[in-house]
Short mmCIF file of all heavy atoms in Angstrom, two decimals:
data_model
loop_
_atom_site.label_atom_id
_atom_site.label_comp_id
_atom_site.label_asym_id
_atom_site.label_seq_id
_atom_site.Cartn_x
_atom_site.Cartn_y
_atom_site.Cartn_z
N MET A 1 146.32 112.76 253.57
CA MET A 1 147.01 112.95 252.32
C MET A 1 147.24 111.63 251.60
O MET A 1 148.17 111.50 250.83
CB MET A 1 148.34 113.64 252.56
CG MET A 1 148.28 114.97 253.26
SD MET A 1 147.22 116.18 252.51
CE MET A 1 148.07 116.80 251.15
N PHE A 2 146.39 110.65 251.87
CA PHE A 2 146.52 109.35 251.23
C PHE A 2 145.20 108.96 250.57
O PHE A 2 144.14 109.42 250.96
CB PHE A 2 146.87 108.27 252.27
CG PHE A 2 148.16 108.53 252.98
CD1 PHE A 2 148.17 109.13 254.23
CD2 PHE A 2 149.36 108.17 252.41
CE1 PHE A 2 149.35 109.37 254.90
CE2 PHE A 2 150.56 108.40 253.06
CZ PHE A 2 150.55 109.00 254.31
N MET A 3 145.31 108.09 249.58
CA MET A 3 144.11 107.57 248.91
C MET A 3 144.35 106.10 248.60
O MET A 3 145.44 105.71 248.17
CB MET A 3 143.88 108.32 247.60
CG MET A 3 142.72 107.78 246.79
SD MET A 3 142.57 108.58 245.18
CE MET A 3 141.91 110.14 245.68
N LEU A 4 143.32 105.29 248.83
CA LEU A 4 143.37 103.89 248.42
C LEU A 4 142.79 103.81 247.01
O LEU A 4 141.69 104.30 246.75
CB LEU A 4 142.57 103.00 249.37
CG LEU A 4 143.24 102.71 250.70
CD1 LEU A 4 142.28 101.97 251.62
CD2 LEU A 4 144.51 101.90 250.51
N VAL A 5 143.55 103.20 246.11
CA VAL A 5 143.15 103.09 244.71
C VAL A 5 142.95 101.62 244.37
O VAL A 5 143.83 100.79 244.61
CB VAL A 5 144.24 103.70 243.79
CG1 VAL A 5 143.86 103.56 242.33
CG2 VAL A 5 144.48 105.16 244.15
N ASP A 6 141.79 101.32 243.81
CA ASP A 6 141.45 99.95 243.42
C ASP A 6 142.21 99.59 242.14
O ASP A 6 142.03 100.22 241.10
CB ASP A 6 139.94 99.87 243.18
CG ASP A 6 139.45 98.46 242.89
OD1 ASP A 6 140.27 97.58 242.59
OD2 ASP A 6 138.22 98.27 242.97
N VAL A 7 143.07 98.58 242.21
CA VAL A 7 143.88 98.18 241.05
C VAL A 7 143.48 96.80 240.52
O VAL A 7 144.15 96.25 239.64
CB VAL A 7 145.39 98.22 241.37
CG1 VAL A 7 145.83 99.63 241.70
CG2 VAL A 7 145.75 97.25 242.50
N ARG A 8 142.37 96.26 240.99
CA ARG A 8 141.96 94.92 240.58
C ARG A 8 141.70 94.81 239.08
O ARG A 8 141.89 93.75 238.50
CB ARG A 8 140.74 94.48 241.37
CG ARG A 8 141.05 94.27 242.86
CD ARG A 8 139.83 93.97 243.66
NE ARG A 8 139.01 95.18 243.71
CZ ARG A 8 137.88 95.29 244.37
NH1 ARG A 8 137.41 94.25 245.04
NH2 ARG A 8 137.21 96.42 244.38
N GLY A 9 141.32 95.90 238.44
CA GLY A 9 141.07 95.88 237.01
C GLY A 9 142.32 95.62 236.18
O GLY A 9 142.22 95.29 234.99
N THR A 10 143.48 95.73 236.78
CA THR A 10 144.74 95.44 236.07
C THR A 10 145.07 93.96 236.07
O THR A 10 146.02 93.54 235.43
CB THR A 10 145.91 96.21 236.70
OG1 THR A 10 146.13 95.71 238.03
CG2 THR A 10 145.68 97.70 236.72
N GLY A 11 144.30 93.18 236.84
CA GLY A 11 144.59 91.75 236.97
C GLY A 11 145.66 91.45 238.01
O GLY A 11 146.10 90.31 238.13
N LEU A 12 146.06 92.47 238.76
CA LEU A 12 147.10 92.30 239.77
C LEU A 12 146.53 92.51 241.17
O LEU A 12 145.60 93.29 241.36
CB LEU A 12 148.22 93.33 239.55
CG LEU A 12 148.99 93.25 238.24
CD1 LEU A 12 149.90 94.46 238.09
CD2 LEU A 12 149.79 91.96 238.17
N SER A 13 147.13 91.86 242.14
CA SER A 13 146.84 92.16 243.54
C SER A 13 147.51 93.50 243.87
O SER A 13 148.35 93.98 243.11
CB SER A 13 147.40 91.07 244.45
OG SER A 13 148.82 91.09 244.42
N GLY A 14 147.16 94.06 244.98
CA GLY A 14 147.83 95.29 245.41
C GLY A 14 149.32 95.09 245.57
O GLY A 14 150.12 95.94 245.17
N TYR A 15 149.70 93.94 246.11
CA TYR A 15 151.12 93.65 246.30
C TYR A 15 151.85 93.55 244.96
O TYR A 15 152.92 94.14 244.78
CB TYR A 15 151.30 92.35 247.11
CG TYR A 15 152.74 91.98 247.29
CD1 TYR A 15 153.51 92.59 248.28
CD2 TYR A 15 153.35 91.05 246.46
CE1 TYR A 15 154.85 92.27 248.44
CE2 TYR A 15 154.69 90.73 246.61
CZ TYR A 15 155.43 91.34 247.60
OH TYR A 15 156.76 91.03 247.75
N ASP A 16 151.27 92.80 244.02
CA ASP A 16 151.92 92.64 242.72
C ASP A 16 151.97 93.97 241.96
O ASP A 16 152.97 94.27 241.31
CB ASP A 16 151.20 91.58 241.89
CG ASP A 16 151.42 90.18 242.42
OD1 ASP A 16 152.44 89.95 243.10
OD2 ASP A 16 150.57 89.31 242.17
N PHE A 17 150.89 94.76 242.06
CA PHE A 17 150.89 96.08 241.42
C PHE A 17 152.02 96.92 241.99
O PHE A 17 152.77 97.56 241.25
CB PHE A 17 149.54 96.77 241.65
CG PHE A 17 149.38 98.05 240.90
CD1 PHE A 17 148.76 98.09 239.67
CD2 PHE A 17 149.83 99.25 241.44
CE1 PHE A 17 148.60 99.28 238.97
CE2 PHE A 17 149.68 100.44 240.77
CZ PHE A 17 149.06 100.46 239.53
N MET A 18 152.15 96.93 243.31
CA MET A 18 153.20 97.69 243.98
C MET A 18 154.58 97.28 243.46
O MET A 18 155.39 98.14 243.09
CB MET A 18 153.12 97.45 245.50
CG MET A 18 154.25 98.06 246.30
SD MET A 18 154.23 97.52 248.04
CE MET A 18 154.80 95.82 247.89
N CYS A 19 154.84 95.99 243.41
CA CYS A 19 156.16 95.50 242.97
C CYS A 19 156.42 95.80 241.50
O CYS A 19 157.50 96.29 241.15
CB CYS A 19 156.26 94.00 243.22
SG CYS A 19 156.30 93.54 244.96
N LYS A 20 155.45 95.53 240.65
CA LYS A 20 155.64 95.72 239.21
C LYS A 20 155.71 97.20 238.84
O LYS A 20 156.46 97.57 237.93
CB LYS A 20 154.54 95.00 238.44
CG LYS A 20 154.67 93.49 238.53
CD LYS A 20 153.59 92.78 237.75
CE LYS A 20 153.66 91.29 237.89
NZ LYS A 20 154.89 90.68 237.44
N LEU A 21 154.94 98.04 239.54
CA LEU A 21 155.03 99.49 239.29
C LEU A 21 156.44 99.98 239.63
O LEU A 21 157.03 100.75 238.87
CB LEU A 21 153.99 100.25 240.11
CG LEU A 21 154.06 101.77 240.03
CD1 LEU A 21 153.79 102.27 238.61
CD2 LEU A 21 153.07 102.39 241.01
N TYR A 22 156.97 99.53 240.74
CA TYR A 22 158.32 99.95 241.11
C TYR A 22 159.36 99.44 240.11
O TYR A 22 160.24 100.19 239.70
CB TYR A 22 158.69 99.49 242.52
CG TYR A 22 160.00 100.08 242.94
CD1 TYR A 22 160.09 101.40 243.35
CD2 TYR A 22 161.17 99.34 242.85
CE1 TYR A 22 161.30 101.97 243.69
CE2 TYR A 22 162.39 99.89 243.20
CZ TYR A 22 162.45 101.21 243.61
OH TYR A 22 163.66 101.77 243.92
N GLU A 23 159.23 98.20 239.69
CA GLU A 23 160.16 97.65 238.69
C GLU A 23 160.12 98.45 237.39
O GLU A 23 161.16 98.75 236.81
CB GLU A 23 159.80 96.20 238.38
CG GLU A 23 160.18 95.21 239.42
CD GLU A 23 159.71 93.80 239.06
OE1 GLU A 23 159.39 93.54 237.88
OE2 GLU A 23 159.64 92.96 239.97
N ALA A 24 158.92 98.77 236.94
CA ALA A 24 158.75 99.41 235.63
C ALA A 24 159.02 100.90 235.66
O ALA A 24 159.59 101.46 234.72
CB ALA A 24 157.34 99.16 235.11
N GLU A 25 158.58 101.58 236.73
CA GLU A 25 158.60 103.04 236.74
C GLU A 25 159.38 103.67 237.88
O GLU A 25 159.45 104.89 238.00
CB GLU A 25 157.15 103.57 236.77
CG GLU A 25 156.33 103.22 235.54
CD GLU A 25 156.79 103.96 234.31
OE1 GLU A 25 157.45 105.01 234.43
OE2 GLU A 25 156.47 103.49 233.20
N ARG A 26 159.93 102.82 238.76
CA ARG A 26 160.67 103.32 239.93
C ARG A 26 159.81 104.28 240.75
O ARG A 26 160.26 105.33 241.19
CB ARG A 26 161.98 103.98 239.54
CG ARG A 26 162.97 103.04 238.92
CD ARG A 26 163.38 102.00 239.96
NE ARG A 26 164.45 101.15 239.47
CZ ARG A 26 164.33 99.83 239.33
NH1 ARG A 26 163.21 99.23 239.62
NH2 ARG A 26 165.34 99.12 238.92
N LEU A 27 158.55 103.86 240.97
CA LEU A 27 157.59 104.65 241.73
C LEU A 27 157.02 103.76 242.82
O LEU A 27 156.57 102.65 242.55
CB LEU A 27 156.48 105.15 240.80
CG LEU A 27 155.44 106.06 241.43
CD1 LEU A 27 156.08 107.39 241.84
CD2 LEU A 27 154.32 106.32 240.45
N SER A 28 157.03 104.24 244.04
CA SER A 28 156.56 103.45 245.17
C SER A 28 155.14 103.82 245.57
O SER A 28 154.81 104.99 245.69
CB SER A 28 157.46 103.68 246.39
OG SER A 28 158.72 103.13 246.17
N VAL A 29 154.34 102.80 245.78
CA VAL A 29 153.03 102.91 246.42
C VAL A 29 153.03 101.81 247.48
O VAL A 29 153.91 100.95 247.50
CB VAL A 29 151.87 102.73 245.42
CG1 VAL A 29 151.84 103.87 244.41
CG2 VAL A 29 151.92 101.39 244.71
N LEU A 30 152.05 101.80 248.34
CA LEU A 30 151.98 100.80 249.41
C LEU A 30 150.86 99.82 249.10
O LEU A 30 149.76 100.21 248.70
CB LEU A 30 151.72 101.48 250.75
CG LEU A 30 151.64 100.59 251.97
CD1 LEU A 30 152.98 99.90 252.23
CD2 LEU A 30 151.22 101.39 253.18
N ASP A 31 151.13 98.55 249.27
CA ASP A 31 150.12 97.51 249.11
C ASP A 31 148.99 97.75 250.11
O ASP A 31 149.22 97.81 251.32
CB ASP A 31 150.77 96.15 249.34
CG ASP A 31 149.79 95.00 249.40
OD1 ASP A 31 148.66 95.13 248.87
OD2 ASP A 31 150.16 93.96 249.96
N GLY A 32 147.78 97.89 249.61
CA GLY A 32 146.63 98.10 250.48
C GLY A 32 146.37 96.93 251.40
O GLY A 32 145.73 97.07 252.44
N GLY A 33 146.86 95.74 251.03
CA GLY A 33 146.68 94.57 251.87
C GLY A 33 147.29 94.73 253.26
O GLY A 33 146.93 94.01 254.18
N ALA A 34 148.17 95.69 253.42
CA ALA A 34 148.75 95.97 254.73
C ALA A 34 147.68 96.43 255.72
O ALA A 34 147.89 96.39 256.93
CB ALA A 34 149.84 97.03 254.61
N PHE A 35 146.52 96.85 255.20
CA PHE A 35 145.44 97.36 256.05
C PHE A 35 144.33 96.34 256.24
O PHE A 35 143.31 96.65 256.84
CB PHE A 35 144.88 98.66 255.46
CG PHE A 35 145.93 99.71 255.33
CD1 PHE A 35 146.53 99.95 254.10
CD2 PHE A 35 146.35 100.43 256.43
CE1 PHE A 35 147.52 100.91 253.97
CE2 PHE A 35 147.35 101.38 256.31
CZ PHE A 35 147.93 101.61 255.08
N GLY A 36 144.51 95.14 255.71
CA GLY A 36 143.51 94.09 255.90
C GLY A 36 143.13 93.42 254.59
O GLY A 36 143.43 93.91 253.50
N ARG A 37 142.45 92.30 254.71
CA ARG A 37 142.07 91.51 253.54
C ARG A 37 141.14 92.27 252.60
O ARG A 37 141.19 92.10 251.39
CB ARG A 37 141.41 90.21 254.00
CG ARG A 37 141.17 89.25 252.88
CD ARG A 37 140.65 87.92 253.31
NE ARG A 37 139.94 87.98 254.57
CZ ARG A 37 139.58 86.94 255.27
NH1 ARG A 37 139.85 85.74 254.81
NH2 ARG A 37 138.94 87.04 256.40
N GLU A 38 140.29 93.12 253.14
CA GLU A 38 139.32 93.86 252.31
C GLU A 38 139.99 94.82 251.33
O GLU A 38 139.40 95.21 250.33
CB GLU A 38 138.35 94.66 253.20
CG GLU A 38 137.51 93.83 254.12
CD GLU A 38 138.23 93.48 255.42
OE1 GLU A 38 139.25 94.12 255.76
OE2 GLU A 38 137.78 92.54 256.09
N THR A 39 141.21 95.22 251.62
CA THR A 39 141.91 96.19 250.76
C THR A 39 143.09 95.56 250.01
O THR A 39 143.96 96.27 249.54
CB THR A 39 142.38 97.40 251.59
OG1 THR A 39 143.19 96.94 252.68
CG2 THR A 39 141.22 98.21 252.11
N SER A 40 143.07 94.23 249.86
CA SER A 40 144.19 93.55 249.20
C SER A 40 144.27 93.87 247.70
O SER A 40 145.32 93.69 247.10
CB SER A 40 144.13 92.04 249.42
OG SER A 40 142.96 91.51 248.83
N GLY A 41 143.20 94.33 247.10
CA GLY A 41 143.22 94.70 245.68
C GLY A 41 143.43 96.18 245.46
O GLY A 41 143.13 96.71 244.39
N PHE A 42 143.96 96.85 246.47
CA PHE A 42 144.15 98.29 246.42
C PHE A 42 145.62 98.62 246.70
O PHE A 42 146.35 97.81 247.25
CB PHE A 42 143.30 98.99 247.50
CG PHE A 42 141.82 98.91 247.24
CD1 PHE A 42 141.11 97.73 247.42
CD2 PHE A 42 141.13 100.04 246.84
CE1 PHE A 42 139.75 97.67 247.19
CE2 PHE A 42 139.77 99.99 246.61
CZ PHE A 42 139.08 98.80 246.78
N VAL A 43 146.01 99.83 246.31
CA VAL A 43 147.30 100.38 246.73
C VAL A 43 147.03 101.73 247.38
O VAL A 43 146.05 102.40 247.07
CB VAL A 43 148.31 100.54 245.56
CG1 VAL A 43 148.71 99.19 245.02
CG2 VAL A 43 147.78 101.44 244.46
N ARG A 44 147.91 102.10 248.29
CA ARG A 44 147.79 103.41 248.94
C ARG A 44 148.77 104.36 248.27
O ARG A 44 149.95 104.08 248.13
CB ARG A 44 148.09 103.31 250.43
CG ARG A 44 147.79 104.63 251.16
CD ARG A 44 148.01 104.49 252.62
NE ARG A 44 149.40 104.76 252.92
CZ ARG A 44 149.87 105.07 254.12
NH1 ARG A 44 149.05 105.12 255.15
NH2 ARG A 44 151.13 105.31 254.31
N VAL A 45 148.23 105.49 247.86
CA VAL A 45 149.01 106.53 247.19
C VAL A 45 149.08 107.73 248.12
O VAL A 45 148.07 108.14 248.70
CB VAL A 45 148.35 106.92 245.85
CG1 VAL A 45 149.12 108.02 245.16
CG2 VAL A 45 148.22 105.70 244.95
N CYS A 46 150.26 108.30 248.26
CA CYS A 46 150.47 109.48 249.10
C CYS A 46 150.51 110.74 248.24
O CYS A 46 151.15 110.75 247.19
CB CYS A 46 151.79 109.34 249.86
SG CYS A 46 152.20 110.79 250.84
N PHE A 47 149.82 111.78 248.69
CA PHE A 47 149.78 113.04 247.96
C PHE A 47 150.53 114.15 248.68
O PHE A 47 150.31 115.33 248.40
CB PHE A 47 148.32 113.46 247.74
CG PHE A 47 147.61 112.54 246.81
CD1 PHE A 47 146.80 111.52 247.29
CD2 PHE A 47 147.75 112.67 245.44
CE1 PHE A 47 146.15 110.66 246.42
CE2 PHE A 47 147.11 111.80 244.56
CZ PHE A 47 146.31 110.81 245.07
N ALA A 48 151.42 113.81 249.58
CA ALA A 48 152.19 114.80 250.34
C ALA A 48 153.45 115.18 249.58
O ALA A 48 154.57 114.86 249.98
CB ALA A 48 152.52 114.26 251.73
N ALA A 49 153.27 115.82 248.43
CA ALA A 49 154.39 116.24 247.59
C ALA A 49 153.95 117.46 246.79
O ALA A 49 152.76 117.75 246.70
CB ALA A 49 154.80 115.11 246.65
N ASP A 50 154.90 118.13 246.18
CA ASP A 50 154.52 119.30 245.40
C ASP A 50 153.85 118.88 244.09
O ASP A 50 153.94 117.74 243.66
CB ASP A 50 155.72 120.23 245.14
CG ASP A 50 156.77 119.61 244.24
OD1 ASP A 50 156.43 119.20 243.11
OD2 ASP A 50 157.94 119.56 244.67
N GLU A 51 153.16 119.81 243.48
CA GLU A 51 152.34 119.51 242.31
C GLU A 51 153.14 118.94 241.15
O GLU A 51 152.69 118.00 240.48
CB GLU A 51 151.60 120.77 241.85
CG GLU A 51 150.61 120.50 240.76
CD GLU A 51 149.76 121.69 240.40
OE1 GLU A 51 149.66 122.63 241.22
OE2 GLU A 51 149.21 121.67 239.29
N ALA A 52 154.32 119.44 240.89
CA ALA A 52 155.13 118.94 239.78
C ALA A 52 155.48 117.46 239.99
O ALA A 52 155.42 116.65 239.05
CB ALA A 52 156.39 119.78 239.62
N LEU A 53 155.84 117.11 241.20
CA LEU A 53 156.18 115.73 241.52
C LEU A 53 154.95 114.82 241.38
O LEU A 53 155.03 113.71 240.86
CB LEU A 53 156.77 115.64 242.93
CG LEU A 53 157.34 114.29 243.35
CD1 LEU A 53 158.43 113.84 242.40
CD2 LEU A 53 157.88 114.39 244.77
N LEU A 54 153.80 115.31 241.84
CA LEU A 54 152.57 114.53 241.72
C LEU A 54 152.20 114.31 240.26
O LEU A 54 151.77 113.22 239.87
CB LEU A 54 151.43 115.22 242.46
CG LEU A 54 151.54 115.22 243.98
CD1 LEU A 54 150.42 116.06 244.58
CD2 LEU A 54 151.52 113.81 244.53
N ARG A 55 152.36 115.32 239.42
CA ARG A 55 152.06 115.18 238.00
C ARG A 55 152.96 114.11 237.36
O ARG A 55 152.50 113.31 236.55
CB ARG A 55 152.21 116.51 237.27
CG ARG A 55 151.10 117.47 237.56
CD ARG A 55 151.26 118.78 236.76
NE ARG A 55 150.28 119.74 237.15
CZ ARG A 55 149.04 119.78 236.68
NH1 ARG A 55 148.64 118.89 235.80
NH2 ARG A 55 148.20 120.71 237.10
N GLU A 56 154.22 114.12 237.72
CA GLU A 56 155.14 113.11 237.19
C GLU A 56 154.75 111.72 237.67
O GLU A 56 154.77 110.76 236.90
CB GLU A 56 156.58 113.43 237.62
CG GLU A 56 157.60 112.39 237.23
CD GLU A 56 157.75 112.20 235.72
OE1 GLU A 56 157.46 113.15 234.95
OE2 GLU A 56 158.14 111.10 235.30
N ALA A 57 154.38 111.59 238.93
CA ALA A 57 153.96 110.30 239.47
C ALA A 57 152.71 109.79 238.76
O ALA A 57 152.62 108.61 238.40
CB ALA A 57 153.72 110.41 240.98
N ILE A 58 151.76 110.67 238.53
CA ILE A 58 150.52 110.29 237.83
C ILE A 58 150.85 109.81 236.41
O ILE A 58 150.30 108.82 235.93
CB ILE A 58 149.52 111.46 237.82
CG1 ILE A 58 148.99 111.68 239.23
CG2 ILE A 58 148.38 111.19 236.84
CD1 ILE A 58 148.27 112.99 239.42
N ALA A 59 151.76 110.50 235.73
CA ALA A 59 152.15 110.10 234.38
C ALA A 59 152.78 108.71 234.39
O ALA A 59 152.51 107.88 233.51
CB ALA A 59 153.12 111.12 233.78
N ARG A 60 153.58 108.41 235.40
CA ARG A 60 154.22 107.09 235.50
C ARG A 60 153.20 106.00 235.77
O ARG A 60 153.26 104.91 235.19
CB ARG A 60 155.28 107.09 236.60
CG ARG A 60 156.50 107.89 236.26
CD ARG A 60 157.48 107.80 237.39
NE ARG A 60 158.61 108.66 237.18
CZ ARG A 60 159.67 108.66 237.97
NH1 ARG A 60 159.74 107.84 238.99
NH2 ARG A 60 160.67 109.48 237.72
N ILE A 61 152.26 106.28 236.67
CA ILE A 61 151.21 105.30 236.96
C ILE A 61 150.37 105.05 235.71
O ILE A 61 150.08 103.90 235.37
CB ILE A 61 150.33 105.76 238.14
CG1 ILE A 61 151.15 105.75 239.43
CG2 ILE A 61 149.10 104.87 238.27
CD1 ILE A 61 150.46 106.42 240.62
N ARG A 62 149.99 106.11 235.02
CA ARG A 62 149.20 105.97 233.79
C ARG A 62 149.95 105.12 232.76
O ARG A 62 149.39 104.22 232.16
CB ARG A 62 148.87 107.33 233.21
CG ARG A 62 148.22 107.21 231.84
CD ARG A 62 147.92 108.55 231.26
NE ARG A 62 146.49 108.70 231.41
CZ ARG A 62 145.83 109.83 231.34
NH1 ARG A 62 146.47 110.96 231.16
NH2 ARG A 62 144.53 109.86 231.46
N ARG A 63 151.23 105.42 232.56
CA ARG A 63 152.03 104.68 231.58
C ARG A 63 152.08 103.19 231.96
O ARG A 63 151.92 102.32 231.11
CB ARG A 63 153.43 105.29 231.52
CG ARG A 63 154.32 104.71 230.46
CD ARG A 63 155.60 105.49 230.28
NE ARG A 63 156.30 105.77 231.52
CZ ARG A 63 156.82 106.97 231.84
NH1 ARG A 63 156.71 108.00 231.01
NH2 ARG A 63 157.46 107.14 232.98
N PHE A 64 152.27 102.91 233.24
CA PHE A 64 152.33 101.53 233.70
C PHE A 64 151.00 100.82 233.48
O PHE A 64 150.96 99.71 232.95
CB PHE A 64 152.71 101.48 235.18
CG PHE A 64 152.59 100.12 235.78
CD1 PHE A 64 153.51 99.13 235.47
CD2 PHE A 64 151.56 99.81 236.63
CE1 PHE A 64 153.41 97.84 236.00
CE2 PHE A 64 151.43 98.54 237.18
CZ PHE A 64 152.36 97.56 236.86
N VAL A 65 149.90 101.46 233.87
CA VAL A 65 148.58 100.83 233.74
C VAL A 65 148.23 100.64 232.27
O VAL A 65 147.73 99.58 231.88
CB VAL A 65 147.50 101.66 234.47
CG1 VAL A 65 146.10 101.16 234.14
CG2 VAL A 65 147.73 101.61 235.98
N GLU A 66 148.49 101.63 231.42
CA GLU A 66 148.19 101.48 230.00
C GLU A 66 149.00 100.34 229.39
O GLU A 66 148.48 99.55 228.60
CB GLU A 66 148.45 102.78 229.25
CG GLU A 66 147.40 103.84 229.55
CD GLU A 66 147.70 105.20 228.94
OE1 GLU A 66 148.83 105.43 228.46
OE2 GLU A 66 146.78 106.05 228.96
N SER A 67 150.25 100.23 229.78
CA SER A 67 151.10 99.13 229.30
C SER A 67 150.53 97.79 229.77
O SER A 67 150.46 96.83 229.01
CB SER A 67 152.52 99.33 229.82
OG SER A 67 153.24 98.15 229.76
N ARG A 68 150.12 97.75 231.01
CA ARG A 68 149.55 96.53 231.59
C ARG A 68 148.26 96.14 230.88
O ARG A 68 148.03 94.98 230.59
CB ARG A 68 149.30 96.78 233.08
CG ARG A 68 148.63 95.68 233.80
CD ARG A 68 149.59 94.59 234.15
NE ARG A 68 148.79 93.47 234.61
CZ ARG A 68 149.21 92.23 234.60
NH1 ARG A 68 150.42 91.97 234.18
NH2 ARG A 68 148.45 91.26 235.01
N MET A 69 147.41 97.10 230.58
CA MET A 69 146.12 96.81 229.97
C MET A 69 146.28 96.31 228.53
O MET A 69 145.47 95.52 228.06
CB MET A 69 145.22 98.04 230.01
CG MET A 69 144.89 98.50 231.44
SD MET A 69 144.37 97.21 232.57
CE MET A 69 142.72 96.89 231.95
N ARG A 70 147.33 96.75 227.84
CA ARG A 70 147.58 96.26 226.48
C ARG A 70 147.98 94.79 226.49
O ARG A 70 147.76 94.08 225.53
CB ARG A 70 148.67 97.08 225.81
CG ARG A 70 148.21 98.43 225.31
CD ARG A 70 149.23 99.08 224.42
NE ARG A 70 150.48 99.40 225.09
CZ ARG A 70 150.72 100.54 225.74
NH1 ARG A 70 149.81 101.49 225.77
NH2 ARG A 70 151.88 100.76 226.31
N SER A 71 148.56 94.33 227.59
CA SER A 71 149.04 92.95 227.65
C SER A 71 147.99 91.98 228.20
O SER A 71 148.22 90.77 228.21
CB SER A 71 150.32 92.86 228.49
OG SER A 71 150.04 93.15 229.85
N ILE A 72 146.87 92.49 228.65
CA ILE A 72 145.81 91.61 229.21
C ILE A 72 144.96 91.05 228.09
O ILE A 72 144.61 91.64 227.16
CB ILE A 72 144.94 92.35 230.23
CG1 ILE A 72 145.76 92.64 231.48
CG2 ILE A 72 143.72 91.56 230.59
CD1 ILE A 72 145.03 93.35 232.56
#
């Protein structure tokens, strides 16, 4: 029920993406770097939640990424 998502296109490491996403949207993901150097540009997303909660989480991630991309 997990997926590794490549966040390198945002200009952030997995760790920085994790921290900034939480600061901006109060949404937690896990730094992919916890699984090794090869996944340091990724975050792990958990899908073990009901559909309504997942839709809200996706909206928050989208809002964060779109905001981030406007500032790059």
Side-chain angles (χ1 to χ4, degrees):
M1 302 305 283
F2 300 98
M3 176 186 286
L4 284 173
V5 178
D6 185 344
V7 297
R8 292 174 291 182
T10 65
L12 298 171
S13 67
Y15 178 81
D16 289 335
F17 187 95
M18 173 189 73
C19 292
K20 291 181 183 300
L21 175 63
Y22 187 78
E23 284 176 18
E25 296 290 339
R26 295 296 187 240
L27 183 66
S28 292
V29 295
L30 181 64
D31 172 22
F35 301 100
R37 188 174 26 191
E38 299 84 17
T39 55
S40 63
F42 292 73
V43 293
R44 188 176 87 161
V45 178
C46 176
F47 293 98
D50 67 56
E51 187 174 340
L53 187 58
L54 290 174
R55 286 183 186 276
E56 175 62 26
I58 290 166
R60 289 181 186 187
I61 292 170
R62 172 181 255 163
R63 185 170 50 225
F64 171 73
V65 170
E66 287 174 349
S67 161
R68 176 80 191 157
M69 298 313 287
R70 283 191 296 272
S71 67
I72 290 180

